[in-house]
């Protein structure tokens, strides 16, 4: 009797294990195509790029001498790469620092039930979905240094002399930053609008009953409850800014005097113009390290200041 009961229990346990195993195999079968794509197009290139960064390889010569960390050592002696790091940092801090306050300002203005507001929201979002390469070419002509450039034509009507814009070492990077802010503004506004519309109106009504004015409502209700959205935009924007490539490629070619040379553009130059794939891979991994450190620093400083409730 006890033996039969034990055998029956053992059979049920084995049946459950078999069913669980089959369920797991079925789940893995559904995940396999996605895992294969990730493995081939993401994980393998990451590992292979690190291996290449330890080589001196021209991508043409089949010989690939192993040089260890020499490529990384050369980076810190390369003035051009160090300038690219400085340019990228300047671009990232300035573009994100300007875009986020502007996006918040316009989002607050558009978070109202006014006539034509849907049109304004669409108009602000269109630049973000426009091809950055096409936008860069258009802005390149807007910045044209003579009277054929629209910006110089407009400032000429004000009696001001024409500017060289992209040809001036001091003006080139601010000109690119302006285009980057114009392009990212629509995305940030949409995200801020979603955050604003998730704030309960009861908080504003209660504060208004207590006599709070518009600035106090914004300072003590909107900003704290919008901090998760702001934190997300800041993280995503900084990561994207450090990877800037299309704007300097199509607008300045990294010039003048390498003032708009960025890290990703330097990787492109080293790998596909100078055929120094090992050195280019080393630069790419240094960029990864910079983005990782900046992201961790943001999390350490700002994560504790994010308010999910009052």
């Amino acid at each position: 009797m006890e033996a039969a009961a034990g055998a029956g229990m053992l059979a049920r346990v084995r049946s459950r294990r078999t069913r669980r195993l089959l369920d797991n195999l079925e789940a893995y079968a559904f995940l396999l195509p996605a895992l294969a794509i990730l493995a081939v197009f993401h994980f393998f290139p990451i590992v292979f790029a690190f291996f290449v960064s330890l080589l001196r390889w021209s991508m043409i010569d089949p010989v690939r001498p192993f040089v260890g960390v020499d490529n990384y050592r050369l980076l810190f002696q390369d003035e051009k790469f160090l300038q690219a790091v400085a340019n990228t940092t300047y671009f990232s801090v300035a573009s994100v620092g300007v875009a986020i306050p502007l996006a918040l300002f316009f989002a607050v203005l558009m978070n109202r039930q006014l006539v034509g507001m849907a049109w304004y929201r669409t108009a602000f979002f269109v630049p973000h979905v426009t091809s950055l390469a096409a936008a860069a070419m258009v802005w390149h002509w807007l910045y044209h240094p003579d009277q054929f450039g629209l910006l110089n034509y407009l400032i000429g009507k004000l009696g001001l002399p024409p500017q060289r814009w992209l040809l001036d070492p001091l003006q080139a990077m601010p000109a690119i930053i302006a285009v980057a802010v114009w392009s990212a503004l629509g995305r940030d506004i949409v995200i801020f609008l979603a955050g604003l519309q998730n704030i309960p109106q009861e908080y504003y009504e209660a504060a208004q009953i207590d006599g709070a004015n518009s600035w106090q409502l914004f300072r003590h209700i909107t900003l704290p409850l919008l901090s998760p959205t702001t934190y997300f935009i800041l993280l995503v924007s900084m990561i994207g800014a450090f990877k800037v490539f299309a704007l300097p490629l199509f607008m300045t070619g990294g010039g003048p005097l390498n003032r708009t040379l960025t890290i990703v553009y330097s990787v492109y130059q080293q790998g596909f113009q100078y055929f120094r794939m090992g050195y280019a891979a080393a630069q790419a991994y240094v960029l990864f390290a910079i983005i990782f450190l900046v992201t961790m620093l943001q999390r350490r400083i700002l994560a504790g200041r994010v308010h999910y409730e009052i």
Side-chain angles (χ1 to χ4, degrees):
M1 202 62 187
E2 293 179 358
M9 183 177 297
L10 181 60
R12 286 193 296 271
V13 170
R14 288 179 177 175
S15 177
R16 284 196 296 269
R17 288 179 178 176
T18 302
R19 192 180 306 111
R20 189 180 301 113
L21 177 60
L22 291 175
D23 290 341
N24 290 338
L25 289 176
E26 184 179 3
Y28 288 132
F30 281 111
L31 291 174
L32 186 60
L35 290 175
I37 293 174
L38 288 174
V40 173
F41 295 103
H42 290 271
F43 301 142
F44 173 74
I46 291 173
V47 176
F48 184 70
F50 180 73
F51 173 71
V52 169
S53 72
L54 305 177
L55 307 175
R56 184 179 294 114
W57 180 36
S58 67
M59 200 168 60
I60 299 176
D61 190 347
V63 180
R64 308 176 186 180
F66 181 81
V67 296
V69 297
D70 283 355
N71 286 326
Y72 294 93
R73 188 180 298 112
L74 288 174
L75 288 177
F76 298 98
Q77 302 171 1
D78 188 347
E79 294 183 0
K80 187 176 180 180
F81 176 73
L82 295 178
Q83 184 172 6
V85 174
N87 293 339
T88 307
T89 304
Y90 168 38
F91 172 87
S92 302
V93 173
S95 61
V96 175
V98 172
I100 291 181
L102 271 180
L104 178 58
F105 172 75
F106 286 116
V108 171
L109 289 181
M110 288 189 285
N111 189 34
R112 302 179 180 183
Q113 299 298 326
L114 299 177
V115 177
M117 194 55 65
W119 184 90
Y120 284 108
R121 293 174 182 175
T122 304
F124 273 98
F125 190 70
V126 165
H128 180 64
V129 297
T130 302
S131 169
L132 199 56
M137 297 300 293
V138 171
W139 276 94
H140 183 273
W141 284 104
L142 293 177
Y143 282 131
H144 201 278
D146 58 23
Q147 67 271 16
F148 296 105
L150 178 60
L151 293 180
N152 276 339
Y153 172 79
L154 293 177
I155 66 175
K157 292 296 184 180
L158 300 176
L160 299 175
Q163 302 297 313
R164 302 185 65 204
W165 302 115
L166 301 177
L167 300 179
D168 190 323
L170 298 178
Q171 295 179 350
M173 184 59 83
I176 290 180
I177 290 172
V179 179
V181 171
W182 168 82
S183 176
L185 204 59
R187 177 203 63 191
D188 296 345
I189 288 174
V190 168
I191 299 175
F192 271 129
L193 275 172
L196 288 170
Q197 292 171 3
N198 283 330
I199 299 177
Q201 292 298 315
E202 291 80 4
Y203 294 138
Y204 294 107
E205 294 170 359
Q208 287 173 338
I209 292 174
D210 291 337
N213 56 34
S214 299
W215 168 248
Q216 291 171 331
L217 294 175
F218 178 77
R219 170 66 180 84
H220 298 289
I221 297 178
T222 303
L223 281 183
L225 292 183
L226 208 58
S227 57
T229 305
T230 307
Y231 177 57
F232 170 76
I233 293 177
L234 180 61
L235 286 179
V236 173
S237 299
M238 286 299 291
I239 292 173
F242 269 97
K243 298 188 297 181
V244 61
F245 172 65
L247 292 180
L249 172 67
F250 291 105
M251 295 182 68
T252 61
L257 302 177
N258 294 323
R259 290 297 183 90
T260 59
L261 179 68
T262 60
I263 299 177
V264 177
Y265 192 81
S266 178
V267 172
Y268 165 76
Q269 280 188 332
Q270 296 296 330
F272 298 100
Q273 291 183 356
Y274 308 147
F275 299 105
R276 301 173 65 188
M277 294 303 297
Y279 194 57
Q283 291 188 356
Y285 260 89
V286 169
L287 174 60
F288 164 75
I290 292 174
I291 293 176
F292 179 79
L293 291 175
V294 169
T295 303
M296 290 300 103
L297 182 63
Q298 288 176 299
R299 289 192 60 183
R300 186 174 184 85
I301 295 176
L302 301 176
R305 303 183 182 184
V306 175
H307 304 280
Y308 293 95
E309 61 182 11
I310 293 182

